[in-house]
Structure formats: C-alpha cells, structure tokens
C-alpha cells in the first residue's frame, strides 16, 4: 500500500488529487455538532495543498436516497474545512455534473475544493457493479491521482471507496495509515491485560466482534442498550429496556464460550431506570432511580449503568495495558444518563493503558463530555470500520489501496 509520503516524494504539483475523506459529521440543521472527522482529514488535505496539488475532497454524509437532499448537503463541512485550513475552499453543488467539472477546472496549484455529497448519486452505493463502475468512471475524469483517507467508509463497497482507486494511481492518506497502525496494536502482539468495553444500542451490531475478540481479549465489559439482552440471557427481568429477544440464544452461547476460554465477561450490577425515554431536546430532568441489574421493574427502562457498575468497571480497567472501547454506556446525550459513559472515559484517562476509542457515538461522547482527546491513545474516526477490522473481515476500501 503506497503511503502519502511516497506520493508526495514523487511530486503532486499541478496534479488533480481526489481525496476520499469522511466528512460524515453530525448536523443540527446546518450547524456541525462534532467536527472531529473534518479535523482528522485536515492534515492530509493540507499536505497535498502545500505540495501544490489541486485537491478535490469528496465524501458522503448521512443516508440520502441516491438523489440531492438539502438536509444532507456537504456545504457546512466544506465551510468548516476552509476554516481549519485557513484558506478558501471552493464548493461544487453536484458530484460529477457541470458544477463539479467547472469547480475542479478552476482550481490552481495548492487550492482545495469539496464536491457535493457522493450519495446524491445512486451509483455511489449501488450493489450493481456496472452502475457503481459507471459512477466511478465519471469521478475518475475529475482527477489524476486518488488518495483514500476516509477510514469511516472503508468497510463499504462503494464507488468512491472501492471502484475509483482501480481507475487511478492511488495511495493511502495519513489518517488511514494511522488507523490501520492502531488497529494492528489491537490484533497483533497485544499488550496485556487486554480489556474491551462494548456498549451502544444493539447487541446484533457487536456479535461479530465479540466472537472474534473472545480469542484475544482478557475481559469484556458490557454496557448500553445491548447490556439488557445480556441480562436477559442470564435470566433477569429487564422491564421495557431495549431488548433483542432473538439474540438471547447467541448471547448465551458467547457467555458459555467465554467461561470455557477463561475470558471474563463483566455485566452491569446496577442500572438507572425510568418509566419513559428522556427528552433529548429539552434535557428536562428525568429523575431516574437506581436498581439492581437483576431487579429491573417490569414497567421501567434501563438507560445507564449505575454507580456500583461505574466503580466496578473503573476497577476492571485500572490494570489494563490495552483497552478498546466502542459504544456509550447509556443515553449520554441527556445529563441524567451521562455518568456511566463519563466514568468509562475517565477510567481510560486515569489508566496507563494504550486506549482506543472506537469511533461513532463513543468518539462524540468523549468530545461532548469535555474530555481532552489527547488523553486517549487514539480516537478512531470509523466505528463500523473499526469493528469489522477487529472481526477479521477484509475491508473493501483497504483492499482497493493495495498495490
């Protein structure tokens, strides 16, 4: 896999360099609520521009239905990238149409443009190879060189991620190189004890990584909405908590296998419950109560790990040499249910472990809750990509960058 350093050494002055970034940032209307992914790709864009390249930045944002949708425009991300670069960034209002072609043609050496959301074109995400390839052909006409630096999308077999690199000389950007290097520390010659913290809503999203990590981790801590499927698998009442009943047999199998392998599974011992989901817009007081994890009332919903669990999890992380964390412990967006996620983040800050925060909501939570990103070993830009890498899957976007 060619690196961006090798590409820069060959010279990019005057060349049109297509950077597949991940600018898929959360928006409140047109306001970016977390610019972490834009800041992560800025160094690659800045390096290329400084070397005289004519940089074309492309990304998806959200899940538009293969047609333009103003709610998913990349215009706010383009403006923020310009602020971070300290230079004007041109913006094309389409992907491969008249605006994109004119915007790219107007670039001079060292200038940067962002083209509109790639998913406004159905060819980007099509499962039909020919349709995807046709869109990749159109994108290739805009550029001379391809740089893959959108780690959050490398697990997708999409036109700009998988098909386009085959049509242009290509290299991996600095962000992808960093992400892959970090993930290798979680899969090859891991420093022990190795603890994994998994949260988030659905246990089904994490079964693959649990299956793979049972062969590698020393202990696995479970929180978030997925914890209630584990508690149900242990025979406990979970009330109206988020539950994937169909996954209970699989979870029981993993718990049994973990016991056989000597892997410690740590589940909540107490939880915060309420009779209804909190209002995340007004942040009105929710007044939760704390109950034992095996005594959730039938009319209550678990929404965060409790104080005893926070203390327990901090203790289980204190001696770890390596920690991978993916998924919040509760509804951290509401202050009454943020303490569990905050406790895990603080435990990683306090530990001596090499800690990796696995993207998505966990990365957003770290920033929203006010933690210094530099206090962690690494904050990934790709939750799904990180999980699939740890599952041992081949990621299409990384395979496409191999020579």
């Amino acid at each position: 896999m060619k690196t961006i350093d090798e590409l820069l050494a060959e010279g990019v002055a005057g060349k049109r360099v297509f950077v597949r970034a991940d600018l898929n940032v959360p928006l409140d209307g047109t306001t970016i609520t977390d610019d972490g992914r834009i800041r992560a790709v800025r160094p690659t864009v800045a390096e290329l521009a400084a070397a005289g390249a004519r940089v074309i930045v492309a990304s998806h944002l959200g899940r538009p239905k293969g047609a333009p949708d103003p709610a998913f425009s990349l215009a706010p991300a383009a403006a923020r990238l310009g602020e971070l670069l300290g230079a004007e960034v041109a913006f094309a209002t389409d992907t491969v149409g008249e605006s994109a072609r004119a915007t790219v043609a107007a670039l001079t050496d060292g200038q940067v443009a962002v083209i509109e959301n790639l998913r406004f074109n159905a060819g980007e995400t099509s499962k039909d190879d020919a349709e995807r390839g046709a869109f990749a052909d159109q994108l290739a006409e805009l550029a001379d060189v391809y740089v893959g630096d959108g780690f959050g999308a490398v697990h997708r077999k999409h036109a700009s991620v998988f098909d386009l690199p085959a049509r242009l000389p290509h290299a991996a950007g600095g962000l992808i190189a960093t992400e892959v290097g970090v993930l290798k520390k979680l899969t090859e010659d891991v420093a022990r004890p190795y603890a994994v913290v998994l949260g988030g809503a659905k246990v089904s999203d994490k079964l693959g990584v649990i299956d793979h990590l049972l062969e590698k981790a020393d202990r696995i801590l479970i929180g978030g909405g997925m914890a209630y499927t584990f508690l149900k698998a242990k025979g406990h009442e979970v009330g109206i908590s988020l539950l994937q009943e169909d996954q209970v047999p699989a979870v029981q199998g993993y718990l049994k296998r973990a016991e056989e392998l000597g892997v410690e599974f740590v589940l909540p011992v107490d939880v915060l419950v309420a009779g209804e989901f909190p209002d995340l817009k007004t942040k009105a007081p929710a007044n939760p109560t704390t109950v034992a994890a095996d005594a959730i009332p039938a009319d209550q919903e678990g929404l965060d790990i409790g104080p005893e669990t926070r203390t327990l999890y901090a203790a289980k992380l204190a001696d770890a040499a390596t920690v991978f964390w993916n998924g919040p412990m509760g509804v951290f967006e509401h202050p009454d249910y943020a303490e569990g996620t905050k406790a895990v983040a603080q435990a990683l800050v306090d530990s001596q472990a090499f800690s990796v925060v696995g993207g998505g909501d966990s990365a957003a939570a770290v920033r929203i809750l006010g933690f210094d990103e530099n206090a962690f070993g690494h904050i990934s830009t790709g939750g799904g990509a990180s999980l699939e890498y740890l599952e041992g899957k081949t990621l299409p976007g990384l395979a496409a960058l191999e020579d």
Side-chain angles (χ1 to χ4, degrees), residues 61-72 117-126 131:
L61 192 153
R63 296 180 182 274
K65 306 299 183 182
D69 183 338
F72 297 107
N117 192 335
L118 292 163
R119 291 186 183 174
F120 285 2
N121 189 304
E124 169 67 2
T125 59
S126 176
E131 184 179 12

Side-chain angles (χ1 to χ4, degrees), residues 177-211:
T178 298
E179 293 274 13
V180 171
V182 165
L183 289 170
K184 284 183 177 179
K185 289 186 178 182
L186 299 179
T187 55
E188 302 172 10
D189 194 25
V190 183
R192 298 186 179 279
Y194 180 15
V196 175
V197 186
L198 296 175
K202 295 181 178 180
V203 68
S204 56
D205 292 341
K206 305 291 197 303
L207 288 180
V209 76
I210 291 172
D211 182 62

Side-chain angles (χ1 to χ4, degrees), residues 40-201:
V41 78
R42 187 204 66 79
T44 291
V45 175
E47 275 191 297
L48 289 166
R54 303 178 184 193
V55 187
I56 306 140
V57 181
S59 177
H60 69 287
L61 192 153
R63 296 180 182 274
K65 306 299 183 182
D69 183 338
F72 297 107
S73 175
L74 277 173
R80 180 57 181 148
L81 179 60
E83 292 171 357
L84 293 169
L85 291 170
E88 183 179 352
V89 169
F91 182 67
T93 56
D94 56 28
T95 55
V96 292
E98 183 178 336
S99 178
R101 292 192 298 270
T103 300
V104 171
L107 289 175
T108 59
D109 295 1
Q111 289 188 326
V112 179
V114 173
I115 62 174
E116 187 55 284
N117 192 335
L118 292 163
R119 291 186 183 174
F120 285 2
N121 189 304
E124 169 67 2
T125 59
S126 176
K127 289 181 168 47
D128 182 83
D129 292 348
E131 184 179 12
R132 234 181 29 252
F135 182 48
D137 287 340
Q138 291 178 293
L139 290 172
E141 291 176 4
L142 297 174
D144 304 306
V145 181
Y146 177 93
V147 172
D149 214 29
F151 181 74
V154 293
H155 59 313
R156 305 296 188 192
K157 192 177 181 181
H158 290 170
S160 66
V161 176
F162 178 75
D163 302 274
L164 184 55
R167 289 157 167 78
L168 295 170
H170 51 264
L175 174 60
I176 278 187
T178 298
E179 293 274 13
V180 171
V182 165
L183 289 170
K184 284 183 177 179
K185 289 186 178 182
L186 299 179
T187 55
E188 302 172 10
D189 194 25
V190 183
R192 298 186 179 279
Y194 180 15
V196 175
V197 186
L198 296 175

